[in-house]
Amino acid sequence: MKEVQENQEKEKMMKLIYEVQDHFINDSKDSKLMVKLHTDYENEATKQEILKAARREFSLRKVPAEQMELYIHMFEEYMWRYYVIEPLINDDNITDINLYNEEHVTVLTGDNKRYVTDVKFHDRSDYLRFIRVTALKNEVNLSNINAQQVFVDATSNEKYKMRIDISTELINCSGSPYMHIRKNPKQKYQTEDLVYMGTMSEAEMDYIIKRFNEGTGMLIVGEGNSGKSTLLNALLDKADHNKKILVTQESDGELFTDSKNGGHPDILFQHLIQNRGEGGVNYLLGDLIEKGLVSDFNMFIIGEVKDNLSASKLLNASFTGAQAVTTLHGPDEFAGIEKMADYVCQGTGYRYAEALKLLRTFETIVFMKKRKLAGIAEIKGWDYKNERLLIEPADIMKGNLSDFLLAVEGWR
């Protein structure tokens, strides 16, 4: 009997907390307070203003005075930051968090281990509200016309910028919204850190830095979470300070530098804008590169090439005399240049051999696997007679690339 009564009391409390949550989601005035707090979690005045509004809403719902602080405590737990997954965000061993539904939350660790956590939401309504509140705080619209959204939360955690991908129940077969969080450290790894961590040897890193600065272009290839962006981010601070660099990326926060603390002083960072509604404004990565050509940039970087427009525009930039650098997915060095050629063909109408010929400007191909350097190849030029790229493993890392080189020999 006592257990039944306690469950009823909890259900009543949760119902009222949900109602007050909904108030902050839907009320035009108070929802702005949540957005304001999200930009500055240390703003105590804004936090107290929210709690004052919450007390008012609980009073309107007849919460007894003696229970008010308990309700406010529960409200804070449910509204601030990231609720039940906050411990996962603060766990330095976790790089990615995946939320499938109220009972299924998985993580990926730095050593590429995946497992299901014991994190659970109170119920489905609790989970749905969490997704909506996360979108609200980041000023993201999850309407049907915006059922897939990618954005960055750079403010709510001291250690990490979080790239968040939400797809709603409109497009998910499960009928439940999905959220993926990639944690990017605010304190970036420098090249020296990567060497210390065993990502590669000091000699290999020195070689890559030299090619990054002196070559005409570089591809950094690997599977997801292989360390591609981490390496590129570290290389930014080793770029020649006489270079002016344009960096375009899918979302703000993955690639960055701090010019006040020794970082490169002449880098412009831009991110894409992609609205799906009628009359929406679109600035895709390729568009940003093309517009950058009218300025005096002499190095163009795309955080990750995923489409034919960005590949073809970056290739075009490389033929202006500027350096071109990007990352892209691929299981080895060969697959990286092959995928880049495929994108270029789609974006330009070139024959495959023509695309490969133009890609000789990407002189260095770095292959990352499981957050370690797994191979380096150099493009030496173009064999006009046989219409194939001349590619060799780099002297610094003569790894077993026989399968790769054999595949290159077969190119036509």
Side-chain angles (χ1 to χ4, degrees), residues 211-228:
R211 299 287 290 192
F212 180 73
N213 275 309
E214 298 179 6
T216 58
M218 178 179 286
L219 298 179
I220 303 175
V221 182
E223 299 174 349
N225 203 35
S226 61
K228 304 184 299 297

Side-chain angles (χ1 to χ4, degrees), residues 216 311-312 314-316 318-319 324 337 340-341 344-345 348-363 379 381-382 384 388-389:
T216 58
S312 58
L314 186 63
L315 177 62
N316 183 49
S318 76
F319 274 86
I337 197 73
M340 192 71 172
V344 170
C345 288
T348 62
Y350 290 146
R351 292 187 303 115
Y352 190 64
E354 292 173 327
L356 286 173
K357 177 183 175 182
L358 294 173
L359 286 171
R360 68 186 186 277
T361 56
F362 290 87
E363 293 179 325
I379 297 178
W382 178 254
Y384 284 86
R388 62 184 178 89
L389 284 173

Side-chain angles (χ1 to χ4, degrees), residues 10-18 74 78 122 126:
K10 186 174 182 179
E11 291 297 329
K12 177 184 175 182
M13 177 182 286
M14 295 303 302
K15 180 176 181 296
L16 293 180
I17 288 173
Y18 290 156
M74 293 294 291
Y78 275 65
H122 180 67
D126 191 30

Side-chain angles (χ1 to χ4, degrees), residues 157-161 183-190 193-194 197 230 233-234 237 253-254 256-258 261:
N157 191 276
E158 294 180 356
K159 295 188 293 183
Y160 300 103
K161 294 180 180 180
K183 295 161 49 182
N184 296 306
K186 288 184 176 180
Q187 185 65 42
K188 68 186 291 183
Y189 292 120
Q190 299 294 337
D193 298 323
L194 297 182
M197 293 159 58
T230 301
N233 203 29
D237 285 340
E254 201 159 21
F256 60 95
T257 191
D258 183 0
N261 292 302

Side-chain angles (χ1 to χ4, degrees), residues 246-250 255 268-272 284-286 288-289 301-304:
L246 174 62
V247 176
T248 67
Q249 52 191 327
E250 184 173 352
L255 301 176
L268 174 64
F269 293 89
Q270 295 183 330
H271 62 85
L272 67 77
L284 304 180
L285 298 183
L288 297 174
I289 292 292
I301 296 175
I302 292 182
E304 183 177 341

